[in-house]
Amino acid sequence: MAPIERIADRLEKPALDDRSYRVVRLPNKLEALLVHDPETDKASASVNVNIGSFSDADDMPGMAHAVEHLLFMGTEKYPVENDYNQYLSANAGYSNAYTSATETNYFFEIAASYSQPTDAHTNGHITSPLHGALDRFAQFFIAPLFLSSTLDRELKAVDSENKKNLQSDGWRLSQLKKSLSSPRHPYHHFSTGNLQTLRDEPRKRGVNIREEFIQFHNKHYSANRMKLVVLGREELDELESWVGDLFAGVVNKDLPRNRWDGLEPYSEKELLTQVFAKPVMDSRLLDISFPYQDEEEMYETQPGRYLSHLIGHEGPGSILAYIKAKGWANGLSAGVTPVCPGSAFFAVSVKLTEDGLKQYQEVVKVIFQYISLIKEDKPQPWIVDEVKGMAEVDFRFREKTPATSFTSKLSSIMQQPLPRDRLLSGTSVIRKFDPEAITRALSYIRPDNYRLTIVSQTFPGDWDQKEKWYGTEYRVEAIPSDFQASVRQASKSTPENRIAELHLPHRNEFVPTKLTVEKKEGTEPSKSPKLIRNDEAVRLWWKKDDRFWVPKGNVYITLRNPLSKATPETAVKSSLYCELIKDALVEYSYDAEIAGLGYELSSIAMGIDINVGGYSDKMAVLLKKVLVSMRDLEVKPDRFKIVKERVLRGLRNWDFQQPYRQVGDFTRWLGSEKGWINEQYLAEVMPLNPEDIASFYPQLLRLMHIEVLAHGNIHKEDALRMTDLIESTLRPRTLPKSQWQIRRNLLLPPGSDFTYRRTLGDPANVNNCIEYYLYVGRLADYALRAKLLLLGQMAEEAGFDQLRTKEQLGYIVFTGAKYAATTMGYRVIIQSERSTVYLEERVNAFLALFATKLQSMSQDDFEGHKKSLINKRLEKVKNLDQESDRFWGHISGEYFNFVQNETDVEHLRPVSKQEMIDFFNHYIHPTSPSRAKLSVHMVAQSSPKALAGNMCAEEQKEKLVGMLRKYLTSVGVDTEAEQLTKRFEAVDVAGGDQAAIVAAITAYLQVDAEVPQESVAAVVEQGQQLLGTVLPSLGIELKVEEADLPPAPKVKETMVIEDVFDYKSRLALSEGPRPVMDLKAYEELEAKL
């Protein structure tokens, strides 16, 4: 066999990157990037295959996506369908995959080492769990089974994934652009697929769909199209040996790299048209799409970044600054969107106001005037130098990311034609100023080469078509000649007739210049920040970074004031106040943002939160500007109107989110002593006027306690100065501790069972959702917390396998621990077309089934779960932001347990299997007399019945028989309508009795049609699959065959919550959070500067 070829082993990498890299090519031409990280606690691998939805057959859209799902369902070497995920779960890991236009990306993460060195050996050498995971992973690409028994289930998972997205504007508008593109280009494809495209329609044509998927894999999956990234603790030589051994069996078919040269997504027919689209949510968008050059080979110059920097700028003189001042827009973005090798778009997207929607043509003309401004002078070297310089700084100080993020992203980057020693820097760094390339790029941004899309729920109102896959209402027409003439005129504007306010940006004063970091070698990183000021007015936590050594920092601030969310009205006022400040700071803060320094401002239950983060050099400058703006805000009526309308739309759109994104808010509300929900906020917005905010916000700032965390490349003196800056700028009085809010949660009493039902606001959403919550105890009960965490670990894969994979309840299935301010519990979330009552029954069945699995679990498996969980709890933070977030979480949670992960492990180690059985039987088992449950049911307005209209039972039966006749004819069976109808006389079609329907079809085939016995089974099997689609289309809810499902135990009757106030008034309250130790233990106090 030919040797493994080493392509590169000295990769250009960030200054603080301590990893070793090697790029190799196997004899089968599979290329791999090997990464040795001696400090990592997570190993990972990713394979990116140069095949995606653009390669789907025209008559089977979604094939690439379906194959991605099916590869997880067993291989010749590991035939058990969930062996791969079980192995990962047992070793603190997980997996996922995605399919895009031109690639399919598979990745996993796993513990980098076993907890005990005796856990595994290979040929006498100790190995990590990574070897076993790679072995299983490689088989996806060598010998997948495409098991018939899993085929239908996984296609239903694809269908459920598609249905999850049907009411999502992101998916709907993206598909509309595709559907209205040139049919000759694969951009036109429907990429997700559904049961209709992947199963029902092909079977009607007599297609053996399993064979089609196998052929797709055989045709397109080739070693030379695959890029592999492996990250582990092992030395590069060992990783190379593993990869060479395990992936040698991937067949190389020497397939060419997929390209689509000579094809354009928009032909002349699609250009110079405007598309009006109606969204689900109340939004207003203007999108200008220019067919653009493929910049894949231009990685050294990247001319598109020059264009996007200028057109997308938000500072003074920019497009956004002008149209925002006119009251036409709230936001703008611009940039290159690659479509595939061979084509791309340059897109300009504008978030319009109500007035901006009316003036959308004026907005377009402003954009073209600015483009003419860019074109009239030669490309400016200083602009490229500024962008190039910041890109170099960002790359130089790039920090590590989670293992799967790294491997998945790098395997995708490897598909690009980059020099292999630049895989890490890739397109992050601009290397050359090429004015000719910029001029060529600008030649695509012209008035005869674009399409407009205008998105609004109200304008123009006369949409006359519906998009095929998502049902989006739209209208498409040629751009009116007078409008197009004015656009051409705008594109030729000169300094004499151009809008005077438009000009190129000034030099960015926020670009950091002090990038030095004082690094202390050999110091053990501190596990907690120090408390360097602790008085009645201020608590200041500080930690000088001793782990990552980057010139960055984070300052988190809470201005504690109980007024912030005392009532729904004050909550809305606080939110509007924060939004008005951010609106006023857009032009100023944009320079800081593109120089790697940003801020966030938000109202929370405890008061107002300010976060400033990024390069630490100019951090205090930005903080001061934010504080002064908070103190001196002028509530301008015109901006108030726009911001208020934006907040109002956001609240109205809340109801149109995915149900699983809504349900948690109700669970939290029902578990909180005091809290508000969306409808209560919505009721308070309309009456508010500018004077209300102007008179309210001084009250927020008049009285407060200040809590600060300063973390990163920030000296103690700087932390103290920034805290003094807060006090001197806002000049508040001190909020006495007696007036601080106390976080509390309601306690569900033992033996209680509550259900809260809520009808979803989106009338077109067909998905129901349930959050099934079991109260366990106080957050500070560490012994209970350890058992809850362990239950989450043990039941996660089992829950996914049973509820999603086997029972196919829905694409969205979550299980695990749920934490509130002071309490905790176990929860299951399912989003599904099935009724919430049925979903609750299936959760009860799963929990009863898991009780038997726990009882029979081997001691080795039990200990394996403990080790896996311990590995997860002790996982290291990967970058400064993660550590900052962890510290701030412990501070804002008010337990101040900075070593919570170690506390969890300390209580996990002694837990026995019998203790877990006792815990489960007491708190979790559906028949436990002592468990406490709250279930929230989000019920869809739409149902199969509603979608089908008000058909009577006889109509439903008549239509079903007609559909079955068509199906039988399509597979070569002659049918007699009268005889087939007679077979259905006693069948409860309206009740969804599939067993009786199948029996009637079988009897007809065997007796009436005299079909040979060997053919009956195949015809019935295909017909049975069709029923899953046909019956719901007739308004019939399926009656599930439960013979193969675990039985649901009989449980006590639930109490339905009709009056939330009455429900809350009957429940006891938890204690508030208390520090795990006296805060004086953290103090390191000095005299104030």
Side-chain angles (χ1 to χ4, degrees), residues 402-414:
T404 48
S405 300
F406 174 83
T407 58
S408 176
K409 181 179 179 181
L410 260 292
S411 66
S412 176
I413 287 173
M414 287 178 74

Side-chain angles (χ1 to χ4, degrees), residues 146 259 562 702 821:
F146 292 95
R259 292 194 63 86
R702 186 174 299 139

Side-chain angles (χ1 to χ4, degrees), residues 1052-1087:
K1052 70 177 70 174
E1053 188 174 347
T1054 190
M1055 179 180 292
V1056 177
I1057 300 171
E1058 304 285 358
D1059 183 333
V1060 173
F1061 180 83
D1062 180 67
Y1063 155 79
K1064 289 189 175 187
S1065 68
R1066 295 171 184 270
L1067 299 181
L1069 282 171
S1070 71
E1071 299 175 348
R1074 294 198 301 273
V1076 294
M1077 65 172 75
D1078 191 327
L1079 295 189
K1080 290 185 183 299
Y1082 297 110
E1083 286 184 348
E1084 189 180 273
L1085 305 180
E1086 296 177 3

Side-chain angles (χ1 to χ4, degrees), residues 79 116 127 142 147 222 229 264 326 330 443 455 513 521 541 551 697 736 744 766 793 838 925 942 956 997 1004 1060 1071:
Q116 301 295 329
T127 71
I142 296 171
L147 292 169
S222 173
V229 179
E264 288 297 335
K326 297 289 284 185
N330 289 312
S443 71
V455 177
T513 53
E521 300 291 347
W541 300 87
Y697 84 79
R744 297 181 187 272
V766 298
Q793 159 67 29
Y838 180 76
H925 200 289
S942 290
Q956 289 171 327
I997 294 170
Y1004 175 80
V1060 173
E1071 299 175 348

Side-chain angles (χ1 to χ4, degrees), residues 82 85-93 784-803 814-817 826-828 846-847 849-870 872-873 908 911-921 924:
N82 65 334
N85 282 324
Q86 279 186 335
Y87 180 85
L88 295 176
S89 179
N91 290 285
L784 268 182
R785 177 183 163 98
K787 291 168 188 168
L788 175 62
L789 285 166
L790 188 52
L791 171 63
Q793 159 67 29
M794 294 191 297
E796 182 179 25
E797 171 58 27
F800 188 88
D801 184 55
Q802 183 62 41
L803 298 171
F814 298 135
T815 64
Y826 180 77
R827 62 94 181 265
V828 179
F846 162 67
L847 293 176
L849 174 68
F850 186 77
T852 65
K853 290 186 176 182
L854 178 58
Q855 190 77 45
S856 61
M857 186 180 291
S858 71
Q859 191 62 34
D860 282 349
D861 285 348
F862 179 76
E863 293 298 329
H865 279 299
K866 282 172 62 178
K867 291 172 186 174
S868 181
L869 179 57
I870 288 169
K872 289 177 182 176
R873 296 304 297 151
L908 266 169
V911 174
S912 69
K913 178 183 166 186
Q914 187 57 52
E915 285 178 306
M916 280 304 297
I917 292 172
D918 294 342
F919 167 84
F920 189 90
N921 288 339
I924 309 298

Side-chain angles (χ1 to χ4, degrees), residues 500-517:
E501 290 88 341
L502 297 180
H503 60 79
L504 294 180
H506 51 65
R507 294 182 188 272
N508 190 344
E509 299 301 323
F510 274 100
V511 172
T513 53
K514 297 177 183 176
L515 296 168
T516 55
V517 177

